[in-house]
Amino acid sequence: LYDALARCADLLVQFGGHKAAAGLTIRRDQFEAFRARFEEEARATEADSAPELELELDAEVDFAELDLPLLERLEGMAPFGMRNPRPLFAAGGVEAAGSPGVVGKGGEHLKLMLRQRGKVLEAIGFGLGGLLGEPGLFQGKMDVAFHAGVNRWRGRAKVQIEIKALRPAGG
C-alpha cells in the first residue's frame, strides 16, 4: 500500500504507513484522479505478485482438543495483533457435516459444520464463499487451517473455528 501511495504522491496532501496499514489526506478535487491511478497501481501490483502459498501454523490439533476451557484460556492471551498474532491451527482428515452454505451480503462468507473423528464444530470462512464452487472440495476429507475461538450468543458459549484455508486432505 505504501509503495502504491508513493507512486500517487503528487495527487496527495500527505500520506504515510507501514507494513500493516496506510493513511492519506487528499483534496476533494484530486479524488477521481487518485482513485484511477491507485486502481492502476493495485492491478499492476496484483499481476506482479504471486499468491501466498504457505501458511505459518502454530500447531496441529484434533477437534477433540478444542473445548471451552482451553479456548477461554487462549482468549486470555489477547489482545491479538501484529506483535501477538492469534494462533493459527491446522487439522487434517476433516469433512463437511451436512451441506456447506454461504452467508453475508452477496454470499461472500462460507458457513458450514466440520467433523473430525466424530466431533463436529461450527465454522465460518470470511471472504471464502467462492470456495463453495470448487468442484469436489467438500465431498471428501480436507485439511483446514483456522483460528479457534468462543462464539457467545444469547448467553450461550460454544467453540467456533474461523477458516483461513482449506484444501483436499494431504494436498
Side-chain angles (χ1 to χ4, degrees), residues 124-145:
I124 183 95
F126 295 110
L128 299 179
L131 289 177
L132 199 56
E134 290 290 321
L137 178 62
F138 300 101
Q139 303 306 311
K141 302 274 185 180
M142 298 172 283
D143 296 331
V144 59

Side-chain angles (χ1 to χ4, degrees), residues 102-131:
V102 292
V103 296
K105 184 179 177 183
E108 66 267 26
H109 310 304
L110 180 66
K111 181 103 169 126
L112 70 160
M113 303 298 282
L114 293 175
R115 176 178 31 246
Q116 184 193 48
R117 292 186 268 290
K119 181 158 183 182
V120 177
L121 294 177
E122 183 178 290
I124 183 95
F126 295 110
L128 299 179
L131 289 177

Side-chain angles (χ1 to χ4, degrees), residues 28-152:
R28 283 186 193 269
D29 63 338
Q30 293 292 334
F31 181 77
E32 285 304 319
F34 167 76
R35 183 193 55 76
R37 189 182 309 163
F38 190 78
E39 286 178 0
E40 279 180 40
E41 292 294 335
R43 280 191 294 276
T45 300
E46 184 178 64
D48 291 343
S49 62
E52 184 75 26
L53 299 176
E54 294 184 11
L55 293 173
E56 190 171 324
L57 301 169
D58 292 297
E60 187 168 345
V61 298
D62 285 330
F63 282 5
E65 298 174 273
L66 300 174
D67 60 16
L68 288 173
L70 172 69
L71 296 177
E72 286 169 345
R73 285 193 308 274
L74 185 64
E75 284 180 341
M77 296 167 53
F80 297 114
M82 279 187 61
R83 292 192 178 134
N84 185 30
R86 286 178 69 191
L88 185 62
F89 299 113
V94 174
E95 59 190 343
S99 298
V102 292
V103 296
K105 184 179 177 183
E108 66 267 26
H109 310 304
L110 180 66
K111 181 103 169 126
L112 70 160
M113 303 298 282
L114 293 175
R115 176 178 31 246
Q116 184 193 48
R117 292 186 268 290
K119 181 158 183 182
V120 177
L121 294 177
E122 183 178 290
I124 183 95
F126 295 110
L128 299 179
L131 289 177
L132 199 56
E134 290 290 321
L137 178 62
F138 300 101
Q139 303 306 311
K141 302 274 185 180
M142 298 172 283
D143 296 331
V144 59
F146 60 94
H147 297 299
V150 179
N151 181 355
R152 292 180 176 83

